[in-house]
């Protein structure tokens, strides 16, 4: 029980979220999934796993080994700027590659949300510290809400679960004294901004 906040922080780490969301997409109720060939499903998942999980993870581990960053917890300002930059660039490359396959926006919009959120997060990182964990979960909650609104492909229960897990992550970060309540709220608020951009566009 004593180590449960740290365990939750690792199990619910934001680096897993793009791949998790891709799994949800490919199993969503949107009709176009019925026409997606098995090899297309494999390509989408492989590209997402490589660019949003494997490459960022390798960069972070290699950076820690080479002394570029002091900790994988990304506790200092420069490390957090570095982390947000890596995630943003990785999601952009992932979006570009999948876009080359002329896939419907249903399969790529979530990557644009992540990229846009990373751009906002990068700017704010120069001035204020915020919770990257909550930021990531907020983006996923917003992405689910956007997909419910645009394609009616998810149950509202998915959104409720994402919000609930955001609360669990917030509790774990506060218990670890990794953030103040203000940094938690800021992280969640930043995650809401990308969908505002999509609505305006």
């Amino acid at each position: 029980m004593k180590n449960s906040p740290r365990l939750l922080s690792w199990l619910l780490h934001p680096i897993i979220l793009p791949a998790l969301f891709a799994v949800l997409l490919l199993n969503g109720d949107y009709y176009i999934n019925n026409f997606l060939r098995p090899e297309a499903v494999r390509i989408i998942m492989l590209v997402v796993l490589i660019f949003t999980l494997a490459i960022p993870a390798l960069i972070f581990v290699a950076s820690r080994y080479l002394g570029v960053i002091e900790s994988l917890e990304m506790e200092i300002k420069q490390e957090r700027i570095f982390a947000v930059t890596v995630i943003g660039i990785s999601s952009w490359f992932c979006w570009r590659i999948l876009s080359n396959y002329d896939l419907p926006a249903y399969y790529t919009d979530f990557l644009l949300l992540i990229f846009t959120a990373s751009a906002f997060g990068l700017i704010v990182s120069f001035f204020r510290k915020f919770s990257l964990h909550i930021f990531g979960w907020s983006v996923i909650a917003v992405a689910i809400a956007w997909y419910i609104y645009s394609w009616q492909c998810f149950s509202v229960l998915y959104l409720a679960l994402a919000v609930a897990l955001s609360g669990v992550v917030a509790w774990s970060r506060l218990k670890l004294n990794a953030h103040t309540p203000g940094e938690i709220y800021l992280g969640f608020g930043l995650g809401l901004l990308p969908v505002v951009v999509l609505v305006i566009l």
Side-chain angles (χ1 to χ4, degrees):
M1 185 66 179
K2 180 181 178 181
N3 293 322
S4 58
R6 188 166 300 279
L7 179 61
L8 286 170
S9 287
W10 281 105
L11 289 177
L12 301 176
H13 197 281
I15 200 171
I16 69 169
L17 297 180
L20 178 61
F21 193 84
V23 171
L24 293 179
L25 273 188
L26 294 170
N27 289 280
D29 291 332
Y30 194 47
Y31 76 94
I32 205 167
N33 276 340
N34 298 322
F35 303 101
L36 200 63
R37 292 179 295 178
E39 55 267 33
V41 173
R42 288 193 290 270
I43 288 172
I44 292 171
M45 276 308 309
L46 186 62
V47 170
V48 172
L49 283 170
I50 290 173
F51 280 90
T52 68
L53 181 58
I55 290 178
L58 286 173
I59 289 173
F60 295 146
V61 171
S63 298
R64 174 67 183 89
Y65 178 77
L66 295 171
V68 176
I69 59 175
E70 295 180 10
S71 169
L72 292 175
E73 292 288 333
M74 310 292 181
E75 295 176 350
I76 63 177
K77 179 180 176 180
Q78 289 78 6
E79 293 174 345
R80 303 172 77 77
I81 291 172
F82 175 69
V84 174
T85 301
V86 169
I87 295 300
I89 292 174
S90 297
S91 61
W92 185 82
F93 271 107
C94 188
W95 173 75
R96 286 292 302 164
I97 289 172
L98 290 180
S99 296
N100 288 336
Y101 289 97
D102 294 323
L103 291 168
Y106 172 81
Y107 296 107
T108 56
D109 264 6
F110 77 102
L111 293 164
L112 284 180
L113 282 167
I114 295 170
F115 172 72
T116 306
S118 298
F120 285 124
L122 178 60
I123 294 170
V124 174
S125 292
F126 283 98
F127 306 99
R128 290 285 304 275
K129 181 181 177 181
F130 61 90
S131 172
L132 292 176
H133 279 74
I134 297 302
F135 176 61
W137 278 96
S138 177
V139 173
I140 290 304
V142 162
I144 291 172
W146 176 254
Y147 274 73
I148 290 173
Y149 170 77
S150 300
W151 290 285
Q152 297 81 47
C153 58
F154 296 136
S155 164
V156 177
L157 290 176
Y158 283 101
L159 178 58
L161 180 59
V163 173
L165 288 173
S166 298
V168 171
V169 174
W171 171 82
S172 69
R173 302 307 288 167
L174 289 171
K175 290 292 287 184
L176 291 170
N177 293 317
H179 296 288
T180 65
E183 291 165 356
I184 295 289
Y185 294 137
L186 180 58
F188 193 83
L190 280 173
L192 302 178
L193 291 178
V195 78
V196 175
V197 175
L198 280 179
V199 168
I200 292 173
L201 295 177

